[in-house]
Amino acid sequence: MIDTNISPKAHPVSGATLGATGMPRVMWLLNHSSARRFEIPMLKACGFNEIFLPKIHPVDPSFRSASIDFSEDKNLTIPPADLAVLNAADWYGDPGRDAWAVANRHFSLLFFIVHTAEALGSISDHFQGAAIWRAYGLERTNSYSNIRKHFTNGLKTIEKMGDRFWFGEAYEDLREVEGELIQRRAVYLPLGLPATEVMNGWTGRDRRVFFVCPDIGFNSYYRGIFEEFSRDFAGLPCSIGGSQPITVADPNVLGFVSKEEHERNMREMRVMYYHSREPRHIHYHPFEAVRAGMPLVFMAGGMLDKLGGVGLPGRARTAAEARSKIQRMLQGDDRLIEEIRTSQHVLLDPMRPEKLEDIWRRNLTHVVERLQVSSASQIAVRTRKKRIAVILPIVYRGGTLRAAKLLAEAVSRGSEQAGESAEVVLLHLDQPSGYAAKDWSDLPPSVTTRTFNWRVLDRAEAKTAMMFDGHSDWNPVYEKYLVVDDGIVQLGDCDLWVVISDRLSLPILPMRPVMLVVFDYLQRHYRVSDLDEQILLANRLAKHVLVTTDFTRQDALQYAGIDPRRVTKVPMLVPGKGKATRQRNKDDEVTHFIWTTNLAAHKNHRRALAALQLYYETYQGKLNCHVTGFGSSEILKSQLPHLEGLNRVVAGSRALRQKVRFLGELSDEVYRRELAAAAFLWHPTELDNGTFCVIEAAHYGVPSLSSDYPAMREMEGQFQLGLSFMDQEDSEDMAVQLHEMEINLAERRHSLATEKHLEEQGVEHLASSYWRVVRELV
């Protein structure tokens, strides 16, 4: 036990303001009713008069003793708006950066329990004060070190808090079975009872044994206890208390009862039996029985022994001895009843508040003083800018490359707009044939670039790498892992890794949280690669997934199976206007339209060429078709199965040979010149996440004819482009709509989105949406 004999200093710690009395404010983030009745008055007795209590708790059977208490709100001297933020937050999950900002402004101490991985990670990532993991003990086969490892998969969490983390043990020896970190950070804050006087009123007229055992229907631990009790005490009249979310087919099981009925059972039933031999955990109801004056028979070897139970007449070393004592009392052995009742009050002595107050005061003083020292050393760390890595996992061109650059720009601008300026690094593979310097020339100065190569680590190498990064309890699950070899520190200088797409051949070594930006799940509909299972795994391992359409979000939930809390839809980002202009004379002659594509199967080449042939040969179409995009010059030469035979289709049609030009990938300058002079843009793709091309065309005053699928309808809704739609599965309809575009060009141009509206959908206006998501993970 820590023993310091000084009082908390009344000056700021951790950057938080102090309460009205000059003492730090406390967040007691538990909803346990019995513990609250003792610990809140104890905190106040130690001088901590301003205490926040959570107003939301999980809908979970393990919270059977939970309740919500608003009574402390009136004592908080913080702005009402800030209190409203705290009250609306879920402190058992991840309450979010805004809620933590409020908490850090006003509170220096925090008590918590670990119910989810999100809660533990959120506290360690965001709370700047002292965080006390409140520990009331576990069954002998478990430990808090195991719980921590289970919830975090061995990744470091509380280590990041350093001296601001404490293990607040309610019983002094809980630390004995814990790992070194928890042992070193243990602080003894003993649990007591709000009142310890023995009440009058017990009658014992109901000749049944009272046994409390909750959650029998679904909890294997309590089910085993119930079955053991039923076996050892078979034939004895009994009543079994405790909440039962699932009905138990036993007439002796009461299920949930009111507080009044529970207290009546304590007064009227003849004896309580307490089963536990656990050395580091005890329930509340044995103390309730003692206070009620009800005789308690309990098993030796448990925590009651440590609280004065050794030698008491109610103690039993075997189930047979317990049964014998209970039978004697049920049969009216008044002498034994009186011996137990008059002796068992000693069990309440260690729980008396007046005996525990000095321990709480001394040990919380130590916590506050250590926080003052820790806060001074953390100032430099807190002022460092966050650094976000945006990673292109393969050599992407076209729309995905543009999307990566736009996202990097949005994160950078969004952080600046929020006054939380972050550094953004865009990483691309170190392949000379992949990219040229000009590919990055349009990035803003706030985004830097870095090259990297993927490196594969086996299990032993992965374990070593994680250990050196501070994740000492982490163990590999997979045989191999990917790491980013950037020639510096394997990207360890970045706080978050944002991977553009989910095309990952192996799991990424989880040295930092990973966010995926997934534009579509085409593998659900097409054979995209041989990595389908690995791609799904990448989605499920990611800390968070960003999507830009509702269609993709539904695929993320239904196909990839991602928890909805880990998926966020953000607005689609598109290139800005740049040098685009809509200056065009109505008499200007147009001779072509543009089809931008690549070699992927979902680009619908076969139907598109069939539609072009109908457009020229049946509808006497006059406009040439210029085919552009990465790999488009190879369409007629490719041996890919979905392109096989297209060269013969073109060779057999004079119109196609004369009217369709396969230009391949053009430079930005040449492409924009082609686009500006085009009658319209044609987008005959079967299915994807939409295309930037229609936005760029609109900037130039060029209308678009698009396939009719969800992502394009969502783009039309966001950008109001005035798109014309066609049935991409019907070549005849595609040809008809091409002809309609040709003869109604003036009308189509008039329906285009205004330049003002397009400007309002630019990166500058949408960046905050991206930063709001990213900031929660750094």
Side-chain angles (χ1 to χ4, degrees):
M1 181 182 73
I2 297 167
D3 186 8
T4 58
N5 194 23
I6 48 181
S7 299
K9 302 294 190 298
H11 57 79
V13 291
S14 76
T17 60
L18 297 178
T21 61
M23 291 290 285
R25 299 186 185 91
V26 178
M27 301 186 79
W28 195 80
L29 300 182
L30 292 76
N31 285 87
H32 194 285
S33 304
S34 300
R36 183 173 61 230
R37 285 194 290 269
F38 168 76
E39 296 196 9
I40 299 308
M42 181 58 68
L43 285 168
K44 291 185 174 183
C46 295
F48 301 95
N49 294 311
E50 295 194 39
I51 304 168
F52 171 77
L53 302 175
K55 309 308 187 298
I56 297 172
H57 64 76
V59 181
D60 187 308
S62 63
F63 280 75
R64 56 185 172 270
S65 300
S67 62
I68 293 172
D69 184 354
F70 283 84
S71 63
E72 292 300 320
D73 284 8
K74 65 180 181 294
N75 299 321
L76 288 169
T77 58
I78 67 176
D82 285 355
L83 178 58
V85 171
L86 299 179
N87 281 339
D90 176 10
W91 298 101
Y92 292 95
D94 184 358
R97 285 285 295 268
D98 292 336
W100 282 122
V102 173
N104 285 321
R105 275 201 297 275
H106 303 297
F107 295 86
S108 299
L109 271 68
L110 179 150
F111 289 76
F112 71 98
I113 60 172
V114 175
H115 182 67
T116 63
E118 290 80 9
L120 183 58
S122 188
I123 291 169
S124 65
D125 285 343
H126 299 300
F127 188 58
Q128 297 170 3
I132 301 171
W133 186 352
R134 198 67 178 114
Y136 299 109
L138 302 167
E139 64 271 19
R140 68 180 70 231
T141 59
N142 205 355
S143 70
Y144 288 93
S145 297
N146 288 338
I147 286 177
R148 170 176 164 262
K149 189 172 181 179
H150 167 75
F151 276 115
T152 66
N153 295 317
L155 299 176
K156 63 181 181 183
T157 47
I158 58 179
E159 295 94 332
K160 293 185 285 187
M161 299 190 71
D163 288 348
R164 293 181 293 110
F165 167 75
W166 298 92
F167 179 69
E169 55 182 358
Y171 307 105
E172 198 165 10
D173 61 349
L174 296 187
R175 72 186 78 178
E176 292 179 355
V177 297
E178 300 298 335
E180 186 273 336
L181 174 61
I182 286 182
Q183 284 193 6
R184 180 164 45 85
R185 301 305 302 164
V187 57
Y188 182 39
L189 299 171
L191 181 64
L193 297 171
T196 55
E197 69 281 0
V198 177
M199 297 178 289
N200 297 319
W202 178 79
T203 66
R205 65 169 63 96
D206 187 338
R207 297 193 175 205
R208 287 184 291 171
V209 57
F210 191 32
F211 180 62
V212 178
C213 187
D215 303 345
I216 297 168
F218 71 93
N219 187 309
S220 59
Y221 177 75
Y222 286 112
R223 180 74 185 180
I225 292 170
F226 169 73
E227 291 172 348
E228 183 179 89
F229 173 81
S230 300
R231 181 178 63 250
D232 293 341
F233 298 91
L236 297 184
C238 66
S239 183
I240 299 173
S243 176
Q244 307 295 340
I246 296 177
T247 302
V248 179
D250 186 320
N252 296 316
V253 176
L254 299 176
F256 176 80
V257 297
S258 67
K259 180 175 180 289
E260 292 73 22
E261 186 175 350
H262 178 66
E263 291 174 348
R264 184 170 64 251
N265 290 336
M266 291 282 187
R267 289 193 305 270
E268 296 182 357
M269 290 195 190
R270 180 63 56 91
V271 58
M272 174 180 281
Y273 170 66
Y274 185 54
H275 68 284
S276 178
R277 297 176 184 265
E278 295 288 356
R280 289 177 295 277
H281 178 68
I282 191 167
H283 297 85
Y284 187 67
H285 56 270
F287 300 109
E288 286 185 301
V290 174
R291 282 201 66 224
M294 181 186 204
L296 175 71
V297 173
F298 62 94
M299 296 305 297
M303 187 166 282
L304 284 176
D305 279 1
K306 300 175 183 179
L307 298 174
V310 176
L312 293 183
R315 183 175 183 262
R317 286 163 296 192
T318 65
E321 183 182 356
R323 181 184 177 103
S324 173
K325 291 182 177 183
I326 290 172
Q327 279 182 309
R328 287 169 58 188
M329 285 187 280
L330 293 178
Q331 292 166 1
D333 189 334
D334 292 336
R335 180 177 178 180
L336 178 60
I337 290 173
E338 195 58 24
E339 285 179 354
I340 291 176
R341 292 184 70 225
T342 56
S343 63
Q344 66 188 10
H345 65 82
V346 300
L347 297 174
L348 301 177
D349 288 345
M351 313 293 280
R352 297 185 187 280
E354 59 270 23
K355 287 191 173 184
L356 305 180
E357 182 180 324
D358 191 51
I359 299 173
W360 273 72
R361 188 186 307 277
R362 292 198 310 267
N363 290 347
L364 285 179
T365 293
H366 182 78
V367 169
V368 171
E369 290 192 328
R370 291 304 305 165
L371 177 60
Q372 293 167 359
V373 175
S374 175
S375 296
S377 65
Q378 289 293 316
I379 291 174
V381 175
R382 289 185 198 142
T383 55
R384 180 184 73 81
K385 278 187 178 182
K386 295 296 183 180
R387 184 175 293 122
I388 317 299
V390 177
I391 305 170
L392 283 160
I394 62 177
V395 177
Y396 278 117
R397 309 291 305 179
T400 304
L401 176 59
R402 288 187 183 182
K405 293 191 287 186
L406 287 168
L407 182 135
E409 181 180 355
V411 171
S412 178
R413 288 196 182 188
S415 69
E416 291 174 359
Q417 291 169 359
E420 302 167 333
S421 184
E423 298 178 15
V424 179
V425 182
L426 196 155
L427 288 99
H428 60 90
L429 288 171
D430 188 11
Q431 296 180 9
S433 61
Y435 300 106
K438 65 180 181 178
D439 290 317
W440 318 113
S441 60
D442 54 347
L443 284 173
S446 59
V447 178
T448 60
T449 60
R450 189 185 299 179
T451 59
F452 80 100
N453 288 296
W454 288 116
R455 182 181 168 198
V456 178
L457 302 184
D458 62 25
R459 293 173 63 93
E461 292 171 324
K463 172 72 174 173
T464 300
M466 291 293 283
M467 182 181 66
F468 279 117
D469 195 49
H471 306 277
S472 56
D473 290 330
W474 182 84
N475 285 305
V477 176
Y478 306 101
E479 292 300 320
K480 294 181 179 181
Y481 289 85
L482 287 176
V483 294
V484 172
D485 183 359
D486 60 352
I488 304 177
V489 286
Q490 294 181 333
L491 210 52
D493 62 327
C494 294
D495 302 287
L496 174 66
W497 299 346
V498 182
V499 182
I500 302 297
S501 88
D502 48 12
R503 299 321 194 246
L504 296 168
S505 59
L506 293 168
I508 293 182
L509 194 67
M511 295 171 63
R512 297 292 180 273
V514 173
M515 174 190 283
L516 297 184
V517 181
V518 181
F519 298 113
D520 52 55
Y521 291 91
L522 285 178
Q523 67 271 28
R524 186 179 188 180
H525 311 280
Y526 304 94
R527 182 67 177 175
V528 175
S529 72
D530 296 325
L531 301 176
D532 287 1
E533 290 302 317
Q534 185 54 54
I535 288 171
L536 288 177
L537 180 62
N539 279 269
R540 292 161 187 167
L541 293 178
K543 181 82 171 179
H544 207 80
V545 175
L546 278 187
V547 299
T548 57
T549 64
D550 286 321
F551 182 74
T552 302
R553 183 177 184 278
Q554 289 305 312
D555 273 353
L557 303 178
Q558 298 168 8
Y559 169 68
I562 306 172
D563 186 326
R565 295 171 297 179
R566 296 194 298 109
V567 182
T568 300
K569 176 183 174 289
V570 287
M572 187 177 293
L573 297 173
V574 296
K577 177 181 178 182
K579 297 180 179 179
T581 176
R582 294 190 179 188
Q583 294 178 359
R584 182 199 293 270
N585 296 322
K586 64 179 181 178
D587 296 327
D588 287 349
E589 183 180 2
V590 289
T591 60
H592 71 275
F593 62 91
I594 283 185
W595 170 20
T596 298
T597 187
N598 57 43
L599 299 179
H602 65 282
K603 292 299 183 178
N604 207 19
H605 306 91
R606 194 171 301 278
R607 290 196 191 101
L609 282 174
L612 285 173
Q613 188 169 1
L614 287 170
Y615 166 65
Y616 292 122
E617 295 178 357
T618 302
Y619 296 98
Q620 306 302 309
K622 296 182 175 59
L623 298 173
N624 295 328
C625 177
H626 291 183
V627 188
T628 71
F630 183 71
S632 60
S633 61
E634 305 299 313
I635 289 175
L636 302 186
K637 307 172 188 175
S638 174
Q639 300 302 308
L640 292 171
H642 62 279
L643 299 176
E644 185 180 358
L646 292 186
N647 57 337
R648 294 191 294 274
V649 172
V650 174
S653 169
R654 180 180 179 185
L656 292 179
R657 293 197 308 272
Q658 291 182 343
K659 293 287 190 177
V660 181
R661 297 177 58 197
F662 295 89
L663 303 180
E665 185 178 23
L666 305 176
S667 68
D668 287 347
E669 182 181 352
V670 173
Y671 173 76
R672 287 166 182 160
R673 192 162 59 240
E674 285 281 337
L675 178 61
F680 60 88
L681 181 136
W682 190 38
H683 178 62
T685 294
E686 281 188 64
L687 186 72
D688 60 14
N689 196 58
T691 176
F692 290 142
C693 296
V694 293
I695 307 291
E696 194 169 17
H699 279 306
Y700 281 92
V702 175
S704 297
L705 171 62
S706 171
S707 297
D708 193 354
Y709 57 90
M712 294 307 298
R713 286 289 181 176
E714 288 188 50
M715 286 189 74
E716 172 66 13
Q718 178 181 342
F719 298 101
Q720 299 176 21
L721 297 169
L723 294 177
S724 298
F725 288 100
M726 62 189 178
D727 183 352
Q728 65 272 24
E729 296 182 359
D730 184 347
S731 296
E732 175 69 34
D733 184 65
M734 294 167 74
V736 169
Q737 298 306 323
L738 282 170
H739 185 244
E740 288 291 318
M741 289 295 291
E742 176 187 329
I743 63 177
N744 294 301
L745 265 181
E747 180 184 338
R748 296 291 189 262
R749 287 170 181 164
H750 285 306
S751 65
L752 280 167
T754 65
E755 292 184 87
K756 181 177 184 298
H757 180 76
L758 290 176
E759 181 183 345
E760 290 171 350
Q761 298 299 313
V763 173
E764 186 72 26
H765 296 274
L766 302 180
S768 60
S769 300
Y770 282 75
W771 179 244
R772 277 197 297 270
V773 182
V774 169
R775 71 192 290 268
E776 296 294 333
L777 302 179
V778 297

